[in-house]
Amino acid sequence: MSRSVALAGFAGSAALLGGVLISLSPSYAVLAAVVLLLGWGLSSPQRLNRTLFAVLFLVPVTADPGYPIPPVWTILLASAAIACLGRLRRLDPEAPLASAGMLAFLLPAICAAAALFQWTGARALIAAVLPLLCYAVIIWHLVDEARREPDAMRQVARWLAWVGVPIALLAIYQRVTGTWPVLDQLATSNAFTAHAGPGRSAGTTGHPIIYGSYCMAMMGVSLALRGRWWQVPFAANAIGLLLSGSRSAWIGIAAALVLWYLTQQRKITARGVKTALISAGSVAVLLLVGPRAIRDVAATAAARLTNLTGSPAALARYKRSNEAWSGIWDSFQSVVFGNGPEAHVQFFQEVGVSDGQAQTFDNSYLTLWYDFGAISLIGLLVLLMIPLVKFKSIAFRMLFTGFVIQIWFFDFYLWPCAASVLILAICLGVADSPALPSPALGRRSRFSPGLALITHAEVGR
């Protein structure tokens, strides 16, 4: 009863405050609503994790409503701060601080060490390593949460997949109207508006490729984790993936679906054949007699799949790869330790590639090698191999496969939504791994060595 009274009192106070702020300025009312929503979202560990994933996946780094610092840094630092708050909530002075999630700190540490051999200044080092450090903090927190409450982590993943349903409706609206509501008005540059990618939708991410990453991940979550009416988020995110026009995400989800199919004990079932025939028939009917908009979408998709290796985008990537390769093999130091933090940014500012395409190498592996050398690239590959070898979860492997393939075609470091595909994959791998003891079993420091061995043996059965 007292809790209900307290909630009612809080709601009444919030409504009163909102009314006062609206009378003063609508912008203040929006700010107050965001603060109140954020406060509610951080009020419990479970809500905090959902809030953290929502910020990472859904808040666009291409829109600036008036942040005091660039949007990408605002979102990354805010996400890292939320993760730190989550760690403080779970802090147990008697429990060991070290955990498996702290392995993520190795990559920024290796990059910082490599930068000492090609020093370009502290500012460049901070700008280059800070995203990796923020992701490490987030992984540290979420891996522990996945071990502590695996079912809750799977519920978060399913919730994110269902969030893709209204976003798919927004993507359809974006395609019909040819605009990206709010994102166009707040875009940090013309490259992140509907005019830069005509005929493609971006959902809430501000970029079609990143929206493709989100849809690719949520299709994998829907199919691997199932749940009630899982076909709805799967189909909605499939529509969003199609409307994004992201060929890298199409390749990623194709590989993930092949992987899923190969893991099935029964490769062909009557239900599967029936579903495939109904789906194919429905698509054929829509293409033949459906609205013109559907035929236009199909034509756009077919055009983007035509001449994949000889398209302007492919040729642009070839040229950028050659530039990156040339810079990497400039000297022994550049091969092993790279050209220095933010070296690729400096290259495109001073030299660039004069083809009108995005000034980036569009290959996450080459960019890391170019800036921080082979030792950092090897460090990334080793860190990727550890969960791949350890986790057998099909949800993890589908998201992981899509991610490692897609980042071959763009730089993900400053795109939290894309990086979160890997983060969510690791969390699902941890949640589905029975070999990992959960902190929820109790404080390990209170166990005797014999009891700890028995507990670990029981968990491993």
Side-chain angles (χ1 to χ4, degrees):
M1 184 66 180
S2 60
R3 184 178 180 183
S4 300
V5 172
L7 288 175
F10 175 78
S13 301
L16 178 61
L17 178 62
V20 172
L21 290 173
I22 289 175
S23 64
L24 294 175
S25 171
S27 59
Y28 287 137
V30 172
L31 178 61
V34 171
V35 171
L36 289 172
L37 183 61
L38 187 61
W40 176 82
L42 303 180
S43 60
S44 72
Q46 293 75 21
R47 290 190 190 129
L48 184 144
N49 293 335
R50 292 199 179 207
T51 300
L52 178 55
F53 272 119
V55 172
L56 290 168
F57 272 113
L58 305 177
V59 179
V61 298
T62 61
D64 187 358
Y67 296 124
I69 57 176
V72 63
W73 302 116
T74 301
I75 293 166
L76 283 173
L77 292 174
S79 300
I82 293 173
C84 287
L85 177 60
R87 287 293 80 227
L88 288 174
R89 282 175 175 268
R90 298 291 197 185
L91 183 63
D92 183 353
E94 298 182 14
L97 183 63
S99 66
M102 296 185 76
L103 285 173
F105 287 98
L106 286 177
L107 184 58
I110 294 172
C111 291
L116 298 178
F117 293 88
Q118 296 280 38
W119 185 252
T120 58
R123 184 174 182 178
L125 176 61
I126 293 172
V129 173
L130 185 59
L132 301 177
L133 189 60
C134 289
Y135 295 138
V137 172
I138 294 165
I139 291 173
W140 175 36
H141 167 67
L142 289 175
V143 164
D144 186 77
E145 290 295 297
R147 292 175 62 230
R148 187 182 298 272
E149 298 181 354
D151 288 337
M153 189 58 65
R154 287 187 282 267
Q155 289 174 7
V156 170
R158 293 191 186 98
W159 169 74
L160 285 168
W162 275 98
V163 169
V165 176
I167 296 179
L169 296 177
L170 173 63
I172 294 172
Y173 175 83
Q174 291 171 337
R175 175 60 63 88
V176 172
T177 62
T179 62
W180 298 344
V182 180
L183 296 179
D184 278 349
Q185 288 75 20
L186 299 178
T188 55
S189 74
N190 289 331
F192 302 129
T193 64
H195 307 291
R200 302 173 66 184
S201 299
T204 62
T205 66
H207 198 292
I209 292 179
I210 308 306
Y211 180 45
S213 298
Y214 175 83
C215 294
M216 174 189 70
M218 296 310 128
M219 286 179 67
V221 167
S222 301
L223 184 59
L225 299 185
R226 301 300 176 98
R228 183 176 297 179
W229 299 105
W230 64 270
Q231 298 91 339
V232 175
F234 181 85
N237 285 290
I239 292 172
L241 182 61
L242 176 64
L243 295 179
S244 73
S246 175
R247 288 172 292 193
S248 60
W250 294 349
I251 296 172
I253 192 61
L257 291 176
V258 169
L259 176 66
W260 173 84
Y261 178 77
L262 294 176
T263 60
Q264 303 305 298
Q265 292 183 348
R266 298 176 62 189
K267 298 295 189 292
I268 299 177
T269 64
R271 183 178 180 182
V273 171
K274 181 179 178 181
T275 302
L277 291 175
I278 292 175
S279 300
S282 300
V283 171
V285 170
L286 287 174
L287 291 177
L288 291 174
V289 299
R292 180 178 178 82
I294 294 178
R295 295 196 296 272
D296 290 343
V297 169
T300 301
R304 291 190 62 77
L305 289 173
T306 302
N307 194 21
L308 282 176
T309 59
S311 64
L315 296 176
R317 283 181 167 84
Y318 297 152
K319 191 167 186 177
R320 281 154 177 73
S321 296
N322 290 333
E323 294 287 355
W325 201 244
S326 176
I328 287 169
W329 290 95
D330 183 61
S331 66
F332 173 80
Q333 271 201 326
S334 61
V335 172
V336 180
F337 303 110
N339 293 282
E342 296 285 89
H344 75 287
V345 176
Q346 184 178 2
F347 169 79
F348 284 108
Q349 288 177 345
E350 296 180 357
V351 181
V353 179
S354 58
D355 59 3
Q357 300 284 338
Q359 296 298 301
T360 175
F361 286 138
D362 272 336
N363 185 312
S364 297
Y365 305 103
L366 284 180
T367 298
L368 186 67
W369 193 355
Y370 187 92
D371 284 1
F372 293 110
I375 61 171
S376 298
L377 178 60
I378 293 172
L380 173 64
L381 296 178
V382 169
L383 289 175
L384 289 176
M385 286 300 297
I386 291 174
L388 181 61
V389 171
K390 192 171 187 63
F391 302 140
K392 308 303 180 183
S393 162
I394 183 59
F396 159 77
R397 295 203 165 191
M398 288 182 70
L399 269 64
F400 179 89
T401 299
F403 173 81
V404 297
I405 289 176
Q406 197 189 15
I407 64 172
W408 183 269
F409 301 99
F410 76 101
D411 294 343
F412 79 93
Y413 304 105
L414 294 179
W415 295 101
C417 178
S420 298
V421 174
L422 177 62
I423 296 173
L424 181 61
I426 293 173
C427 290
L428 292 176
V430 172
D432 291 339
S433 178
L436 293 175
S438 170
L441 293 174
R443 296 180 178 178
R444 285 170 287 179
S445 59
R446 293 183 178 179
F447 288 169
S448 66
L451 182 58
L453 288 174
I454 294 173
T455 303
H456 283 261
E458 291 296 326
V459 172
R461 285 186 179 178

